[in-house]
Amino acid sequence: MQRSDYEAKTKAVAEREFGAANVNAIIAHRNVDEDGDPIWRVVIVLADPRDVAAGKMSGFVRHLRVALPEEPFPIVSFRSQSDNLESSPEAA
């Protein structure tokens, strides 16, 4: 799957789980883990992470795996909009 397609599908899941107004951006990069297995590194940029219950964040990977079962495992992290302005996507 192309990066843009993956990001679009991930954004749809994130908007459903966290609210469309709270999801500012999705940044995804294909990578490999320490064992050489393919993974997706995903950063979800939220307008205000305090508006999302911790249980929603911790369960997000499960929802993403259901939506994209054929894709490599996602390693997901979250940033606030203000943190994202101070970081580059490559820092993910």
Side-chain angles (χ1 to χ4, degrees), residues 21-22 29-31 41 50 53 60 65 70-71 77 85:
N22 202 18
H29 300 278
R30 283 187 73 100
N31 207 328
R41 293 208 180 268
R50 296 173 294 185
F60 181 74
R65 294 291 296 153
E70 302 299 319
E71 290 299 312
S77 60
L85 294 174

Side-chain angles (χ1 to χ4, degrees), residues 48-68:
D48 191 350
R50 296 173 294 185
D51 289 344
V52 179
K56 285 274 193 180
M57 288 182 176
S58 64
F60 181 74
V61 170
R62 179 172 37 93
H63 295 286
L64 191 56
R65 294 291 296 153
V66 169
L68 298 164

Side-chain angles (χ1 to χ4, degrees), residues 31-39:
N31 207 328
V32 294
D33 66 10
E34 294 82 20
D35 296 325
D37 295 323
I39 60 172

Side-chain angles (χ1 to χ4, degrees), residues 15-33:
E15 287 178 343
R16 184 183 73 226
E17 294 300 310
F18 309 134
N22 202 18
V23 178
N24 284 357
I26 304 294
I27 305 163
H29 300 278
R30 283 187 73 100
N31 207 328
V32 294
D33 66 10

Side-chain angles (χ1 to χ4, degrees), residues 4-5 10 28-29 35 40 42 49 54-55 58 67-68 71 83 89:
S4 60
D5 294 334
T10 300
H29 300 278
D35 296 325
W40 280 101
V42 179
S58 64
L68 298 164
E71 290 299 312
D83 287 342

